[in-house]
Structures are given as structure tokens and as C-alpha cells.
């Protein structure tokens, strides 16, 4: 979680389970730690590769906002699965009652004396979850041999051990 005065950001690393020719999304949660309205804007070093929704907005006092970052399908894997792409999340106090339509580029202009908080987020590729073995013929229909997969698409250690025993 970031230590910004205005917003806390979770996570600070965008983890994409990399798979060729597959569009992959991950989410980001912004939490407004203040009693003020906070406007935000998300920028990336590689705008053609990612879609950020919403890429700008207003987080109400003491509220949260979820952002979905989608990486477009990639035709080839990067060397050693490293990614140099980064995101910059800028946040600034906004007038009470502000809405998305009220956000201007000027609000984020540091030269004009605006207090702009900036948080850098990096992109990390992780191995995609492995597909489970095929279901044996005699298994009950509707039951799944896959353990539950947590929000970030990773099977935890205990679940993995239980799955391994099944096979």
C-alpha cells in the first residue's frame, strides 16, 4: 500500500499472469484517506499496450475506487519475462462536489503551484495458473477438481497441497 497523503493504492505492482495472444486484466484499488474530494489520473509509459478504466476520476471522501488495467494480447513473450512498463498515478485535492467532467489537465499542473501526489506502479509478469488435469471419468458432474483460486489467480499453498493429493 502506498504512503500518499491523499490516496492509498493497492497493489503497487500490477501483476499480469502472462499468456501469449490473451488479453489480461488486473485491478487496482484507490482509497481516499481524507475528508476531501480527490481527483486522479493514470498515465502509462506504453499507452498502446494497456487500457485503463477509468483512467481519470474522483474518489469521494473516505471512499474507494476500483480501476481495471487491461493488457492487450501480446504476440510474443518478452525476453526473460521482464517488463519495463510503468504507470504513474497522479492525485490532487479537488473542490467538494467535483465529478469526472470537472477534471482538467490544469489540476495536475505542478508548475501552477498545485500539490500533486505521484505514485509509480510497476508491471510484473507472473507465470499463468496451470490448468488442472482432466477430470476422471467417474467423478461427479458439477464438482471441480480445481481448488478455489484467489482474486489474483493464484492457488494458495494449502489448496495446492490438497489438489496434489487428489491426483
Amino acid at each position: 500500500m502506498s504512503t500518499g497523503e491523499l490516496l492509498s493504492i493497492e497493489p503497487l505492482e500490477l501483476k499480469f499472469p502472462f499468456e501469449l495472444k490473451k488479453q489480461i486484466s488486473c485491478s487496482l484499488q484507490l482509497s481516499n484517506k481524507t475528508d476531501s474530494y480527490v481527483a486522479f489520473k493514470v498515465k502509462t509509459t506504453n499507452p498502446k499496450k494497456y487500457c485503463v478504466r477509468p483512467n481519470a476520476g474522483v474518489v469521494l471522501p473516505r471512499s474507494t475506487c476500483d480501476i481495471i488495467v487491461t493488457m492487450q494480447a501480446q504476440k510474443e513473450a518478452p525476453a526473460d519475462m521482464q517488463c519495463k512498463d510503468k504507470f504513474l498515478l497522479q492525485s490532487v485535492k479537488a473542490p467538494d462536489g467535483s465529478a469526472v467532467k470537472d477534471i482538467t489537465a490544469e489540476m495536475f499542473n505542478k508548475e501552477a503551484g498545485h500539490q500533486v501526489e505521484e505514485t509509480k506502479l510497476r508491471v510484473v509478469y507472473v507465470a499463468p495458473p496451470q490448468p488442472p488435469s482432466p477430470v476422471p471419468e467417474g467423478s461427479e458432474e458439477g464438482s471441480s477438481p480445481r481448488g478455489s483460486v484467489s482474486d489474483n489467480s493464484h492457488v494458495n499453498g494449502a489448496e495446492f497441497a490438497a489438489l496434489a493429493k487428489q491426483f
Side-chain angles (χ1 to χ4, degrees):
M1 194 133 80
S2 94
T3 56
E5 302 268 315
L6 302 174
L7 297 176
S8 61
I9 301 157
E10 185 66 36
L12 291 175
E13 282 186 342
L14 297 173
K15 292 186 172 149
F16 289 95
F18 190 89
E19 290 183 66
L20 284 176
K21 303 183 181 83
K22 201 164 180 191
Q23 184 171 293
I24 305 153
S25 295
C26 71
S27 65
L28 196 57
Q29 187 175 64
L30 310 182
S31 299
N32 183 343
K33 303 194 289 192
T34 73
D35 293 316
S36 305
Y37 281 63
V38 175
F40 70 88
K41 182 163 68 170
V42 183
K43 296 176 173 180
T44 180
T45 54
N46 199 339
K48 288 190 171 75
K49 187 173 173 182
Y50 300 96
C51 173
V52 181
R53 289 290 172 265
N55 62 355
V58 175
V59 188
L60 301 181
R62 308 279 169 204
S63 300
T64 60
C65 173
D66 289 319
I67 296 175
I68 304 295
V69 179
T70 304
M71 181 174 69
Q72 303 307 317
Q74 299 299 297
K75 291 178 176 59
E76 51 191 51
D80 64 14
M81 289 299 279
Q82 296 300 308
C83 183
K84 300 226 181 337
D85 300 335
K86 291 185 178 55
F87 285 83
L88 179 68
L89 190 131
Q90 296 180 304
S91 52
V92 66
K93 272 190 183 172
D96 286 357
S98 292
V100 179
K101 62 179 174 43
D102 303 317
I103 296 174
T104 63
E106 179 60 28
M107 292 169 82
F108 299 95
N109 183 347
K110 286 188 263 187
E111 285 79 45
H114 297 281
Q115 289 292 118
V116 181
E117 254 181 35
E118 296 187 330
T119 306
K120 289 187 174 83
L121 309 169
R122 52 189 218 113
V123 175
V124 178
Y125 293 148
V126 293
Q130 294 305 306
S133 301
V135 180
E137 286 291 314
S139 76
E140 288 178 40
E141 190 141 334
S143 72
S144 169
R146 262 178 108 172
S148 66
V149 176
S150 63
D151 289 356
N152 59 2
S153 301
H154 291 84
V155 177
N156 73 29
E159 291 167 337
F160 182 79
L163 283 173
K165 282 181 191 163
Q166 281 182 349
F167 298 108

